[in-house]
Amino acid sequence: MKFPTLLAAGLAASAHAQVEMDRLMRLKTDHWNQMRAQGAFNQYDNARLGAVRPEPCVNGKSGPYSCDRVDMLSFLSHSQLGSSTKEGNDVWGWTSPDGREFGAVGQTDGTAFVEIDKAGAMRYVGRLPTQTVASPWRDMKVVNGYVYIGSEAADHGLQVFDMRKLLSVRGAPKTFNTGRDLTAWYRGFGSSHNIVAHEEKNMVYAVGTSRSSSCKGGLFMLDVSNPANPTSPGCVSEDGYVHDAQCVVYNGPDTQYNGKEICFNYNEDTLTIVDVTNKASPRQISRTPYAGSAYTHQGWLTSTSDMRFLLLDDELDELDRTGVAANNRTTTYIFNITSLASPINTGYYQSPVKSIDHNQYTKDGLSYQSNYNSGLRIVDVRSVAADPTGKGFKQVGFFDCHPEDDAAGGIVEFSGSWSVYPYFRSGYILLNSIERGVFALRYRG
């Protein structure tokens, strides 16, 4: 019978993906332990990194950092941001109703908050410690002024913090209490790997929760219409573990889904698309593997106005030298999603340098890519409709926050930048570095 055969194949694929995820986390942990032993996280305690005054990108340099059309406006080290571990991870942003811009800066032992002023200078406002213990993995997203923070730390659950509390902080930075200062502490799951936000629908999805739970690490749904009392209307578990996702109200060429809530899931070895409109009965539309797959990590639509293409990054293809990534150069896979049921991998883009990709977000035809050792890479992807092979893609700016490997043309390892936030109305960009701190940048394209 076909069904048992498909089921067996699916279970085998899931088991292999778990092995790869375990290997990936082990590779990172081993690398970061080596960095700790070498003192990599302590060398920026008192060092001046060109942080106080702006450092324009001139003749390929912004202070000590290689660059092209990206200026460093300010910098704060993780030590300056109150972290005792001095190690960073994710980053996201929030703009208050009166236009003030704030960043939530992930660290292994908590979340630091910064404000970016009109000139791009950052001020450390305060921090929210981890809910339980430290972990290299912390992720956050913002919905209607509340930041939702998850972590791989055991029993961490989901912290719900009202960023409007930052508006009244004056003088010394404030350390917020993980009890009385939280709007809520949701404990319907313990650890999570990433947090996905669909602000338009007041939904948050925790992904990468326990594989042994009934949700199998899939989309753990949370209705946050009442931030003080998040509730879970369901789960997407059909394709198992989800590493990251983007959820939208669909308005694209596959008109049968217009108005539906669609999630594009990055599921370790596939692009998996799911209709989550009916939370009690989500429907998987497609599950698409691709040549060169090693560990499907994250991705983003090239445009939320036409929803015809998306970009996908794979976190192990450069390291494992799979497919076109055998040359170690950062590889971005392009998918035509005109038919949600039949996505097509139409091509790829490769960076000029060697590096592992991690997170990317698109805005106004540009992909802002946080690529570990090569830092921020800004890629013009506006040619995708005319030529979906990616041959027309081009790098239009960069800021390399890890200069140690510049002379070698890049190295494929897990140092440098973790993530980027490019959505402030001011045009300022936040880039969070694992071993250094957070950079406020400006692209002059």
Side-chain angles (χ1 to χ4, degrees):
M1 292 177 64
K2 181 181 287 188
F3 179 74
T5 301
L6 291 175
L7 178 60
L11 290 173
S14 178
H16 174 72
Q18 180 173 353
V19 169
E20 288 304 288
M21 177 58 169
D22 291 344
R23 180 170 75 95
L24 176 59
M25 294 181 76
R26 186 171 61 252
L27 285 169
K28 291 182 179 182
T29 300
D30 289 347
H31 178 67
W32 296 330
N33 284 339
Q34 183 181 22
M35 291 175 66
R36 293 184 193 104
Q38 295 170 346
F41 298 107
N42 295 320
Q43 58 184 314
Y44 307 105
D45 285 0
N46 302 307
R48 180 185 177 278
L49 296 176
V52 178
R53 69 177 190 276
E55 295 275 7
C57 181
V58 178
N59 296 325
K61 288 289 183 180
S62 174
Y65 304 105
S66 297
C67 60
D68 178 28
R69 287 180 279 190
V70 178
D71 300 327
M72 179 172 64
L73 303 179
S74 58
F75 170 86
L76 289 171
S77 71
H78 290 304
S79 178
Q80 290 173 297
L81 293 175
S83 173
S84 59
T85 57
K86 306 162 193 172
E87 302 172 23
N89 39 60
D90 197 37
V91 65
W92 206 250
W94 172 66
T95 301
S96 70
D98 62 355
R100 293 169 65 182
E101 296 178 338
F102 294 87
V105 183
Q107 299 166 327
T108 60
D109 55 351
T111 303
F113 300 108
V114 298
E115 180 173 9
I116 307 95
D117 69 15
K118 299 298 182 183
M122 287 184 292
R123 176 176 72 96
Y124 171 37
V125 180
R127 65 181 289 104
L128 179 67
T130 181
Q131 198 67 28
T132 53
V133 297
S135 168
W137 290 274
R138 187 171 308 279
D139 201 78
M140 65 280 300
K141 296 295 183 295
V142 176
V143 175
N144 296 327
Y146 294 89
V147 60
Y148 295 84
I149 306 169
S151 173
E152 285 279 8
D155 301 320
H156 186 277
L158 188 72
Q159 295 173 309
V160 184
F161 178 80
D162 188 349
M163 293 190 72
R164 282 166 284 257
K165 289 179 179 285
L166 306 176
L167 298 174
S168 59
V169 177
R170 300 286 185 270
K174 178 177 180 178
T175 297
F176 294 95
N177 186 278
T178 56
R180 63 178 177 270
D181 286 322
L182 288 182
T183 301
W185 177 25
Y186 181 81
R187 283 167 277 184
F189 58 83
S191 63
S192 61
H193 198 79
N194 277 309
I195 301 300
V196 179
H198 189 185
E199 190 164 12
E200 186 177 356
K201 290 295 182 178
N202 286 311
M203 289 295 298
V204 164
Y205 300 88
V207 299
T209 56
S210 173
R211 293 179 191 263
S212 62
S213 70
S214 59
C215 198
K216 300 178 183 177
L219 289 176
F220 189 108
M221 303 178 182
L222 283 172
D223 183 335
V224 294
S225 300
N226 178 3
N229 185 32
T231 58
S232 179
C235 172
V236 176
S237 60
E238 182 177 351
D239 194 34
Y241 190 96
V242 177
H243 191 92
D244 211 337
Q246 180 185 12
C247 299
V248 300
V249 174
Y250 185 76
N251 182 30
D254 201 343
T255 56
Q256 63 181 310
Y257 295 105
N258 280 349
K260 303 288 188 180
E261 295 174 51
I262 304 297
C263 289
F264 300 91
N265 299 340
Y266 301 92
N267 280 26
E268 302 193 290
D269 56 2
T270 62
L271 165 66
T272 301
I273 303 176
V274 181
D275 181 349
V276 297
T277 309
N278 183 345
K279 303 296 184 293
S281 185
R283 187 172 73 86
Q284 183 169 300
I285 301 171
S286 60
R287 182 180 187 276
T288 308
Y290 55 96
S293 164
Y295 192 84
T296 310
H297 181 262
Q298 188 261 358
W300 214 250
L301 295 169
T302 59
S303 169
T304 53
S305 60
D306 67 17
M307 302 188 181
R308 296 173 58 195
F309 297 91
L310 64 73
L311 308 176
L312 178 151
D313 46 73
D314 188 301
E315 198 175 5
L316 277 176
D317 57 344
E318 294 90 4
L319 189 66
D320 288 353
R321 295 177 177 267
T322 59
V324 295
N327 58 9
N328 290 147
R329 289 164 56 192
T330 313
T331 302
T332 303
Y333 299 87
I334 304 164
F335 281 79
N336 181 323
I337 52 169
T338 301
S339 167
L340 297 185
S342 303
I344 303 170
N345 178 201
T346 59
Y348 60 91
Y349 163 79
Q350 288 198 311
S351 170
V353 295
K354 298 176 181 179
S355 185
I356 299 170
D357 40 13
H358 200 221
N359 292 300
Q360 64 179 315
Y361 301 99
T362 61
K363 177 184 176 183
D364 299 332
L366 301 178
S367 176
Y368 293 80
Q369 303 186 347
S370 175
N371 291 343
Y372 281 115
N373 282 41
S374 65
L376 172 66
R377 299 282 155 166
I378 303 175
V379 182
D380 187 334
V381 301
R382 287 174 291 185
S383 64
V384 66
D387 182 4
T389 66
K391 291 180 180 178
F393 285 19
K394 60 180 179 180
Q395 179 176 282
V396 293
F398 74 89
F399 181 88
D400 188 343
C401 64
H402 187 80
E404 288 85 350
D405 62 354
D406 286 4
I411 297 176
V412 286
E413 61 184 19
F414 302 104
S415 306
S417 66
W418 184 287
S419 197
V420 59
Y421 181 79
Y423 295 117
F424 289 126
R425 287 194 289 267
S426 63
Y428 297 148
I429 302 163
L430 290 180
L431 183 72
N432 197 12
S433 160
I434 297 169
E435 67 270 23
R436 284 174 163 81
V438 64
F439 297 83
L441 308 172
R442 176 180 56 202
Y443 170 55
R444 291 188 283 107

